[in-house]
Amino acid sequence: MSYRLPPLNALKAFEAAARLGSFSRAADELCVTQGAISRHIKILEESLETKLFRRVHRQVHLTEEGLAYSRSVREAFAIIETETANLNPHYADRIIRIKALPTFAMRWLIPRLSDFTRQYPEYEVSIQTSHKFADFEYDDLDGSIEFGTGNWKDVASDLLFPTMLTPVCSPRLADGAGPPQSLEQLPRYVLLHSKQRPDLWNQWLTSVGATNVPTKDVARLEDSGLVYQAAIDGLGLAIAEFGYVKEDIRLGRLVKPFDYILVGNQGYYFVCLPRKLRLKKVAAFRKWIMSRAEETRSLASETSVAIVEGA
């Protein structure tokens, strides 16, 4: 049994217009006129006998049927693209597009990326950073690094390593003081906070039963990357992800004044659309990052504090 499919050019025009939310932007992407996009959409709507867009004050909005159809069309094009790339390497896109959390990218991923390049010289990794969860529906991404519990809908997620929190500081702070020798000495020190994760000190202090420890001062910085740099420069004590600072500790740029490492029930995950795993480049990157994360993940065995909800 055969079925009459809509014209391919009309489907391409519809997919672009639906994804971009604009006929003019779709025209720019496909290098045609806006009028051509409108004609293709009209042909498609007549072929399907269904309205796909509502036109309101020179703007277009997907109808309920158009929204559902756009998802199916986008998935179909993605499957064709994936299987074509796997079948013929000449069609394969060699760039792996990854979205990562800014501090994860700076302190964990980029320092290890040359190892991926050595193992897979045929691929190039492009990294963009954002605190927002990846929008795989509209962003041109092959995967992302996200923080959470891993319970996200419609995506595949693999735990890289759990959150592991511990105080760190410079071997000699800016005021000439050395690292604290006990929890009772903490009130003498400046505690560095990230505005992105302002509750880390409270979580760690609570886990070691030091809820009533007063603090001398608090310095609030925009993100964790600035917090780590401030700690290296001797401005105070930071609560750090142990996996991010292990190398700094090894090289003597930072010290860990307390043995306690708080392991949380959240962590860092490699996330992608399930269909993307069929792409050889994504499968290669996933295999590599999971392998490199194993070393960091094993650090959780060094903990002396139980897993804490929400950390």
Side-chain angles (χ1 to χ4, degrees), residues 47 86 97 120 131 201 213 216 238 264 284 293:
S47 173
N86 286 336
R97 295 168 179 85
Y120 300 94
H131 290 289
W201 267 110
V213 174
K216 171 186 175 184

Side-chain angles (χ1 to χ4, degrees), residues 280-298:
K280 292 179 181 179
K281 64 178 184 179
V282 177
F285 186 83
R286 176 182 175 273
K287 178 181 178 181
W288 171 81
I289 198 170
M290 291 300 295
S291 175
R292 290 307 308 262
E294 173 60 34
E295 178 185 353
T296 304
R297 194 160 56 246
S298 68

Side-chain angles (χ1 to χ4, degrees), residues 93 99 115 200:
D93 181 358
K99 195 261 347 175
D115 178 60
L200 296 188

Side-chain angles (χ1 to χ4, degrees), residues 2-3 8-9 14 49 62 67 72 81 100 111 124 150 179 204 209 219 246 255 265 271 276-277 280 284-285 289 293:
S2 62
Y3 297 92
L8 179 58
N9 285 338
F14 168 68
E49 299 181 354
L62 285 167
L67 179 61
S72 297
E81 179 185 3
E124 175 186 342
W204 189 85
K246 189 74 185 316
V255 295
N265 67 343
V271 178
K276 286 285 187 176
L277 291 174
K280 292 179 181 179
F285 186 83
I289 198 170

